[in-house]
Amino acid sequence: MNWKIHNVTLVAGVGIAGMCLAGPHDKPPPQSSPKAVRMDAAQARLGVEADWLAQAKRPPDARHFTMGDMVGGGDYPTARFIRQGYALADDLARSGADVARYRAELKELERLLSEIPEGAAAEARERVYLDVRRVVRRLAFANPLLDFDRLLFVKRFTQETYPDICLNHMPWVSRPGGDLCVLENPFSPSGEGQSLTSILNGALGPGHVHGMDLEWDGERIVFGYARTKTAEPPEGWMDRAANFHLRRTEEPTRLFEVRRDGSGLRQLTSGEWSDLDPTYAPNGDIVFVSERCAFSLQCNEYDKDETSCNLYTMRPDGSGIRRLSVNKDGDYLPHTLDDGTIGYTRWEYHERSFAYIQSLWFVRPDGTGADVIFGQHLQDPWALEDVRSIPGSRKLVAVAAGHHTLAIGPLLIIDPTQGLNDAKGIAIVTPNIKPTEGGMSGAPVPEGGVTDTCGLYSTPWALSEKYFLVAYTYSNTETDAKGYALYLVDVFGNKELIYRDPAISSFIPIPLRPRPRPPLITGSFDEHAAEPPEDGAPPRPATCVISDIALGCDGIDPAAIRYVRIAEPIGWPYDNTHGGHRYVEDHHCQQPSGEPDLRDNWTPVRILGDIPVEADGSACFQVPPDTAVYFQLLDENRREIRRMRSFISFQPSEQRACAGCHETRNAAPRPNPAPPAAAARTPAPYLPMPWGDAPLSFLRDVQPVLTRHCAQCHSGLKPKGGLDFSPGLTSFDTAVPGYGYNRAFVTLLDAKNGLITRSPAREQDASVTPPYAYGANKSKLGRVLDAEPHTKRVKLTPDERLRLDAWIDANAIYHDRFVNKRAPQPAYDYTADPELRGKILAIHERRCAACHDPKAVTRTDWIHPSDPAQSLFLTAPRTKCEGTPYASADDPDHQALLELTRQAVEKASRFPRRDLAGARF
């Protein structure tokens, strides 16, 4: 498979020797023979009592807690559990449950508790505490919502390596082990009559389940499975630098389906990419997470090779795989919500901090209408994950997590109707539990919630706004491999153990029964539009209509908004031949020697073009499908007024409308009796950039303007104003020849010069960008060019000024392509060639030492990248140097310098750094 990403042709690794892409595991799997085991009721009771004691006393070291660490003694929160029991009884009574017996028992135990004399033995207090817990457990399990007798869940060892949602798809993140399991009579208070069935029972060999969902009729289960060669993890599974090797030797995670009775086991996906975390769509299709997008993860050190995931869908039989989202940073943990849409966690590096980038989004099952649910511009928590609907409610359940963490943390109720980015929309069910990274916004649920003293929650399933099935560990170590067990919790503070296997963790509790099928959302997309046209033409574009461009832009004269710019942030490629390709200069996150830290953007940018805005503030335009795009509002000079620090993608032929800039669904559009003028016309054509629609390159698209108009004064040993706009190359990291900028770019972006105002691409907070915050209108460079003496000396053409302005408004990026870490022939970077520098220095020591420090004039950034004869140490005015170093260009040393630079430039053109490919000067 050959594919091309914006002038960089890469070869995906199909059929590479040793790569585990297909083979015996892609044959029809053997049918499973489920194994049912009767549970020991006495052992179950002991486990429950041990758990009650664990809730009564904080473990001495919660990081390494096991149930065996818990002993009785000390004070018991008996009175609190009595109060919580009363509150639970009151709520269940309102639902029609008969709770009189439980209230009477609690009242009697309340009397006994009050009669325990001060100084009584701990055993007496423990006995009453346990008796209270027995009553509350029977009461909790009498909840009418628990009207099912089988609980489906997953046993697996908790992810131990790469504890990060963006890396959970690696097949080797967990130890092999576990199964799809069914617990019969899960709410038997005493454990009587319980049995456990292992559905797969080894049918797929060693490995682990990676995501699971139950079909609406309750009969079929779709799941991901990561198979391993042995019952042990592969060698190097804890070493992230081994990713490249492991991806080529270990089988990817596949999707499978099986009936609840173990019959009909079948494999749904295959190929070189991992597929996982499936969810059934309302029409029976399966939405899942996959590496098929072939994006490299946009973070972590240079020696890591890691992929991102996007959302995909397929028909029930595994055919018709189609992409739903285009996100260079990753979409994760999809679940079908009760309104028929797919809720998921979206990772979003786009002029954002590394931390505040994970929010809740939704998309229709056909891939249209993607938008935020909650938290896109909320600072804390850093991440919201594992979102599911709460039955009969517009609210959602989720967990709060950090950036470098699993989908694990405090349990939350999310109410988007309070505002998409308002902390009032967060109610914390477990207020004492904090995210393992970052802060926490919101307030405890009004009922108080579960008052844990330690631990973490995961994979919640809502029964109502008050009752939840969850996975929980007492450990504060999120990667606790065996510690997660299944619980029933409520907002009143009660927490009852349902099932624990001390040898392995349990996750994803789902009632094993039919459930209401969400509504089918139809009419928004023609599936055939996603199929490639027979004539080989590109897929049909999406059409976008903006009805009121100034809505949400308070403080801006609507008449000032004259254009909308459409641009694409380009994802980092990944292929199994070369691994992850890099963009930012970040080799081991080192700072460059002698150069300022420029904090370059996360990705290249391709400007598709600008669209004129109608007089009534409307605009209509087309967007290529399956392409991430973001928008900017421009003034009459096509300079930025406001930017979108997010991006979105569209399906072929999708029709999409929005009311304004940074629209929220909580604000009504402004009344307008007339329809938008743009909607009545054909989509406007793009006004192109001077360089077309190729990704923007500083050397190719901007440097020629600076060379023509600026470098004559601003170059050399003493450039005017200390500003050097010459085209010479600079080195950023000598270990990576593809890293580096040029002298003019370094000058423009050096903060001490203050010439460019741009969004700090990797340090920005989560807030919405205000108007005129960044870009050409805000930058000093434009003001200088518009004032004397530059208005007399510098005569930019409209094309040249647009180049400068558009480059700044693209957040002043430099590179238009990526670094291949495993290129067959490494690039040659003469700025990092010590032998070349030494030969030039030797000549300068002979000929220049009378006037200059030879090292000061031995600058490889003075070598002209395309015309060696124009290198600054060859063109410097000879009359200013005592002794006239070179009487003429025929001087042997002059010729030697010219030949050295010529050879260097010629070699650099044959094996170019990424910035030299296609560059002009």
Side-chain angles (χ1 to χ4, degrees), residues 374-448:
F374 186 82
Q376 188 184 20
H377 296 291
L378 192 66
Q379 206 92 331
D380 292 315
W382 285 9
L384 295 166
E385 298 173 1
D386 235 338
V387 62
R388 291 185 185 270
S389 288
I390 295 177
S393 171
R394 296 182 63 184
K395 298 178 182 179
L396 307 162
V397 65
V399 294
H403 170 73
H404 309 89
T405 70
L406 304 180
I408 287 166
L411 182 66
L412 310 179
I413 297 172
I414 303 295
D415 185 359
T417 66
Q418 295 295 315
L420 301 186
N421 300 294
D422 195 325
K424 293 195 298 290
I426 300 177
I428 309 171
V429 181
T430 58
N432 291 347
I433 302 300
K434 305 302 179 186
T436 55
E437 187 180 40
M440 186 67 227
S441 298
V445 291
E447 299 85 355

Side-chain angles (χ1 to χ4, degrees), residues 832-840 900:
D833 185 341
E835 182 179 358
L836 173 65
R837 182 182 295 272
K839 291 178 178 179
I840 295 174
L900 285 172

Side-chain angles (χ1 to χ4, degrees), residues 40 155 374 378 392 410 459 494 588 609 652 784 826 839:
D40 186 317
K155 281 189 183 183
F374 186 82
L378 192 66
T459 60
N494 302 292
H588 297 297
V784 170
K839 291 178 178 179

Side-chain angles (χ1 to χ4, degrees), residues 13 15-25 162 171-172 226-230 232-237 239 241-254 271-272 274 574 576-577:
I16 297 173
M19 186 183 300
C20 192
L21 300 180
H25 282 170
Y162 322 142
W172 50 87
R227 288 187 276 202
T228 51
K229 297 182 177 72
T230 70
E232 294 296 324
E235 184 179 353
W237 73 298
D239 180 8
N243 288 345
F244 179 65
H245 168 73
L246 290 173
R247 281 192 54 80
R248 294 157 59 91
T249 55
E250 297 299 312
E251 183 176 1
T253 304
R254 315 291 196 195
E272 62 179 309
S274 283
Y574 193 106
N576 283 316
T577 300

Side-chain angles (χ1 to χ4, degrees), residues 509-571:
I510 300 179
L512 185 52
R513 63 178 177 185
R515 54 194 170 120
R517 186 184 297 267
L520 295 174
I521 304 175
T522 60
S524 60
F525 174 73
D526 177 5
E527 184 176 346
H528 297 293
E531 299 175 359
E534 294 182 0
D535 59 3
R540 284 169 281 180
T543 300
C544 301
V545 176
I546 302 175
S547 59
D548 186 357
I549 196 72
L551 180 64
C553 296
D554 297 339
I556 300 177
D557 179 3
I561 304 173
R562 303 289 292 276
Y563 300 92
V564 179
R565 176 165 293 162
I566 297 93
E568 175 193 6
I570 302 170

Side-chain angles (χ1 to χ4, degrees), residues 465-481:
E465 291 184 13
K466 298 178 180 179
Y467 302 96
F468 307 91
L469 304 173
V470 295
Y472 170 80
T473 177
Y474 282 95
S475 174
N476 290 334
T477 300
E478 59 177 327
T479 55
D480 181 15

